[in-house]
Structure formats: C-alpha cells, structure tokens
Amino acid sequence: MLLEGSCHCGAVRFRVESETPYPYQACYCSICRKTAGGGGYAINLGADANTLEVEGAENLSVYNAKLYDRGGPGEVPVSEAERNFCKLCGSFLWLYDPRWPDLVHPFASAVDTPLPKPPERVHVALEFAAPWCTIPEGENERHFDLWPEESIAGWHRRHGL
Ligand SMILES: [Zn+2]
Ligand SMILES: [Zn+2]
C-alpha cells in the first residue's frame, strides 16, 4: 500500500510503497524511547526504499545513534542506521540503514495513511524498557528481551498478510 507521512510542522512530507505496513512491532530500546517513543517505545514499518519520495528534504536532519553498550572503554561507536527527522519540529520520520539499501523503515507515528491493525503484537528489546512502562500481556502479545530473528517481512508472511 502507499504510505503518506509527514512531520508535525509540515515542512517534510514523504510517500513510499510498503508491502509490510502492519505496525506490529514495538521497540523499547533506549534509542527508540528517547528519540521517537514517548510512550516508551517506537514502531517502525518496512517499505521499499526505491519508491521513497520526499518533499522538503532540505529540512531533514539525520541522527546516527550512539551505541553506549558497544565498543571498548571510553569509546562510543555510532550506529550506521540513519534516523531521519525534521530539523524544524523534531518529528522522527524514517530509519534508513545503508546495509539494507532496498529498505526504509517509516516510523508509524509519522504516517498519515490509516494503517491496518495488527492481529498480533511483538514487544522487543524489553531488556531496555523503562521501569514505568506497562508491557501489554495476553495471547496476541509476544515478548522478546532483545530482538527476534523474524524480520518484518517474515512476520507479515507468517500471518498471510
Ligand atoms: Zn517538521
Ligand atoms: Zn529500538
């Protein structure tokens, strides 16, 4: 489906085709929480990077997250993943990782197109979850201390979506 998204101030708009638009995976890692996850987590979708069209790209900025838990003593490596956000209003828009150049991961929070409701939700990186976060429990809520092996595309296939 075609996803249309925008930042809060409207200076950046984007559209991208996605075959994996279900917002099922909530990441509770500290990067997601601090940059784009006021509720304690952020949700990324999978989309086709070759179809990404951006209006107002001059208002984008990129954050390569610091990886405090990696690297040697006194060393803080940065992630290769590029978190694109609007430098005027701070809305996080999508993540792009040059290691997987065909994919782009829009933040569900930035997408204006009504997304389908996922039949099952996956909660990941719970080892890093803030203690005040209530993690949903129940039969359609799956929990992972770190990140599951299953890709976003794999989850959609498993559900026949
Ligand atoms: Zn903006
Ligand atoms: Zn995360």
Side-chain angles (χ1 to χ4, degrees), residues 1-4 15-23 45-48 51 111-116:
M1 70 188 279
L2 176 68
L3 304 181
E4 294 190 285
R15 30 172 46 215
V16 68
E17 282 292 341
S18 171
E19 289 183 356
T20 53
Y22 280 73
L45 311 171
D48 177 358
T51 66
V111 173
D112 299 310
T113 305
L115 295 171

Coordinates of all heavy atoms in Angstrom, one line a residue, residues 1-4 15-23 45-48 51 111-116:
M1 N 0.8 -1.2 0.0 CA 0.0 0.0 0.0 C 0.9 1.2 0.0 O 2.0 1.2 0.4 CB -1.0 0.0 1.2 CG -0.3 0.2 2.6 SD -1.5 -0.1 4.0 CE -2.4 1.5 4.0
L2 N 0.3 2.3 -0.5 CA 1.0 3.6 -0.5 C 0.9 4.2 0.9 O -0.2 4.4 1.4 CB 0.5 4.5 -1.6 CG 1.1 5.9 -1.6 CD1 2.6 5.9 -2.0 CD2 0.3 6.9 -2.5
L3 N 2.1 4.6 1.5 CA 2.1 5.2 2.8 C 2.4 6.7 2.5 O 3.4 7.0 1.9 CB 3.1 4.6 3.7 CG 3.0 3.1 4.0 CD1 4.1 2.7 5.0 CD2 1.6 2.8 4.5
E4 N 1.6 7.6 3.1 CA 1.9 9.0 3.1 C 2.2 9.5 4.5 O 1.4 9.1 5.4 CB 0.8 9.8 2.5 CG 0.6 9.4 1.0 CD -0.3 10.4 0.3 OE1 -1.5 10.2 0.5 OE2 0.2 11.2 -0.5
R15 N 6.2 10.0 0.7 CA 5.4 8.9 0.3 C 6.3 7.7 -0.1 O 7.3 7.9 -0.6 CB 4.4 9.2 -0.8 CG 5.0 10.3 -1.7 CD 4.2 10.6 -3.0 NE 2.8 10.8 -2.8 CZ 1.8 10.4 -3.6 NH1 2.2 9.8 -4.8 NH2 0.6 10.5 -3.4
V16 N 5.8 6.5 0.2 CA 6.6 5.3 0.0 C 5.6 4.1 -0.1 O 4.6 4.1 0.5 CB 7.6 5.1 1.1 CG1 7.0 4.8 2.4 CG2 8.7 4.1 0.7
E17 N 6.0 3.2 -1.0 CA 5.2 1.9 -1.1 C 5.7 0.9 -0.1 O 6.9 0.7 0.1 CB 5.4 1.3 -2.5 CG 4.6 2.0 -3.6 CD 3.1 1.8 -3.5 OE1 2.6 0.9 -2.8 OE2 2.4 2.6 -4.1
S18 N 4.7 0.2 0.5 CA 5.0 -0.8 1.5 C 4.2 -2.0 1.3 O 3.0 -1.9 1.1 CB 4.7 -0.2 2.9 OG 4.8 -1.2 3.9
E19 N 4.9 -3.2 1.4 CA 4.1 -4.4 1.4 C 4.0 -5.0 2.8 O 3.5 -6.0 3.0 CB 4.9 -5.4 0.5 CG 4.7 -5.1 -1.0 CD 5.4 -6.1 -1.9 OE1 6.0 -7.1 -1.4 OE2 5.2 -5.9 -3.1
T20 N 4.6 -4.2 3.7 CA 4.7 -4.7 5.1 C 4.3 -3.5 6.0 O 5.1 -3.1 6.9 CB 6.1 -5.2 5.5 OG1 7.0 -4.2 5.1 CG2 6.4 -6.5 4.7
P21 N 3.0 -3.1 5.9 CA 2.6 -1.9 6.6 C 2.0 -2.1 8.0 O 1.5 -1.1 8.6 CB 1.5 -1.3 5.7 CG 0.9 -2.5 5.1 CD 1.9 -3.6 5.0
Y22 N 1.9 -3.3 8.5 CA 1.3 -3.5 9.8 C 2.2 -3.0 10.9 O 3.3 -3.5 11.0 CB 0.9 -5.0 10.0 CG -0.3 -5.4 9.3 CD1 -0.3 -5.6 8.0 CD2 -1.5 -5.7 10.1 CE1 -1.5 -6.0 7.3 CE2 -2.7 -6.0 9.4 CZ -2.7 -6.2 8.0 OH -3.8 -6.5 7.4
P23 N 1.7 -2.1 11.8 CA 2.5 -1.6 12.9 C 2.5 -2.5 14.1 O 1.9 -2.2 15.1 CB 1.9 -0.2 13.2 CG 0.4 -0.4 12.8 CD 0.4 -1.4 11.7
L45 N 7.9 0.6 10.4 CA 7.3 -0.3 9.3 C 8.4 -0.6 8.3 O 9.5 0.0 8.3 CB 6.2 0.5 8.6 CG 5.2 1.2 9.6 CD1 4.3 2.1 8.8 CD2 4.4 0.1 10.3
G46 N 8.1 -1.6 7.5 CA 9.0 -1.8 6.4 C 8.5 -1.2 5.1 O 7.3 -1.3 4.9
A47 N 9.3 -0.6 4.2 CA 8.8 -0.1 3.0 C 10.0 -0.2 2.0 O 11.1 -0.5 2.3 CB 8.4 1.3 3.2
D48 N 9.6 0.1 0.7 CA 10.5 -0.1 -0.4 C 11.3 1.2 -0.7 O 10.7 2.2 -1.2 CB 9.7 -0.4 -1.7 CG 10.5 -0.5 -2.9 OD1 11.7 -0.3 -2.9 OD2 9.9 -0.9 -4.0
T51 N 11.1 3.5 -3.8 CA 9.9 4.3 -4.1 C 9.7 5.5 -3.2 O 8.8 6.2 -3.3 CB 8.6 3.4 -3.9 OG1 8.5 3.1 -2.5 CG2 8.7 2.1 -4.7
V111 N 3.2 8.4 10.0 CA 2.4 8.0 8.8 C 1.0 8.6 9.0 O 0.3 8.4 10.0 CB 2.4 6.5 8.6 CG1 1.5 6.1 7.5 CG2 3.8 6.0 8.3
D112 N 0.5 9.3 7.9 CA -0.9 9.8 8.0 C -1.9 8.8 7.4 O -3.1 8.9 7.7 CB -0.9 11.1 7.2 CG 0.0 12.2 7.8 OD1 -0.1 12.4 9.0 OD2 0.9 12.7 7.0
T113 N -1.5 8.0 6.5 CA -2.4 7.0 5.9 C -2.8 6.0 7.0 O -2.0 5.6 7.8 CB -1.6 6.1 4.9 OG1 -1.0 7.0 3.9 CG2 -2.5 5.1 4.2
P114 N -4.1 5.8 7.1 CA -4.6 4.9 8.2 C -4.0 3.5 8.0 O -4.1 2.9 6.9 CB -6.1 4.8 8.0 CG -6.5 6.0 7.2 CD -5.3 6.3 6.3
L115 N -3.3 3.0 9.0 CA -2.6 1.7 8.9 C -3.5 0.6 9.4 O -4.4 0.8 10.2 CB -1.3 1.7 9.7 CG -0.3 2.7 9.3 CD1 0.8 2.8 10.3 CD2 0.3 2.3 7.9
P116 N -3.3 -0.6 8.8 CA -4.1 -1.8 9.3 C -3.8 -2.1 10.7 O -2.6 -2.0 11.1 CB -3.8 -2.9 8.3 CG -2.4 -2.5 7.8 CD -2.3 -1.0 7.8

